[in-house]
Amino acid sequence: MAHTTKKAAVPAQAGATKPLRKFYAEIRVGDLHVDQTLDSARLFGTITSEDAGPSTQRKKDVAWTARLRKMWDPFSLLPAIVSLREDGRHYLLDGQHSTDVAVEKEGPDFLRDCMVYEGLSAEQEAKLFLAANRDRKAVKPFDIFRVSITAGDPRNTRILEEVESRNLGISGSTSANKIGAVQALTAIAVMDEKRAARDESGSLLYPLVLPGGRSPLIPQVLQVVEDAWGRTPATWEGMMLRAVAMVLDRNPEARLDRLSSKLAGHGKRKPLTVAQWKESSISNTVGGGGSSSRSAPLARLIVNEYNTGLTEQAVLLMHPGRPDKS
């Protein structure tokens, strides 16, 4: 077991001088260290040469750490990759953020499964770091979504149920009856979760309990866009789904039939298409932006169009992000 006494890190061997040994071991997370003098420390973004334990392997990705903390499950914690040096200490090559969360959630005595390499050279340590962090094929959002359903993830299970309530499905690519915009659906589900009831520990209650008689957003959004454009692949465009959700999240009293009619351009010379709405949104976005950043100006355009012809203040919609009507 690694020593806990503070001492200078023994560097990895310059070259392989003894046979490499690999084995699995359970190691206290408090005994998993980081050598800040590694050449690969520059890849980690570190700025100190001291070994200060697992929390300083690289500049902490606050958002990622918060996400790991939120979905913490000791059972699903994968093995860390560590190098066993001649000083008898274990140095993390992969698994810093999750080790950090393990210390916080379970304490330093929590035993983590580790793939241990003994006798690595500095070059070999750097190669393992790259293999674990750079040389991985990105997993597609739909593949993650599909597997999470099997794993019983409550959010994605709810998303699937709400989509299927409209006799639609979710797929890796969009078609007339299949929605491929998994990230947009997830963003909409999160909008509901921000308003939903939680228990004393802060965890969401399932089935979701929304305030003031609110209805889940996903079925409403899908109804609005389908009524506007029918069932075509363009109907389920992610940026449009997000924008409509933003409008309804801010204005739960909005009339869905009027919203659909305005989106479709009823009463205009020519019908409005999803592509035309997107083009207008992009022209109103500084620097173009991605689908998420373009959704906000698109939502504002939708609110403006909805309000056109209305005179009563009480029925006007508010732009997302605006304070409540006084």
Side-chain angles (χ1 to χ4, degrees), residues 14 19 45 56-57 94 100 123 149 183 270 276 302 313 315:
T56 55
Q57 177 173 352
D94 183 54
D100 219 36
E123 180 183 357
I149 296 297
Q183 291 172 310
K270 293 183 179 180
Q276 288 172 318
I302 293 171
Q313 183 71 24
V315 297

Side-chain angles (χ1 to χ4, degrees), residues 79-94:
I81 300 176
V82 302
S83 175
L84 175 57
R85 297 270 188 82
E86 290 182 339
D87 63 353
R89 303 171 81 183
H90 297 84
Y91 294 89
L92 279 162
L93 300 178
D94 183 54

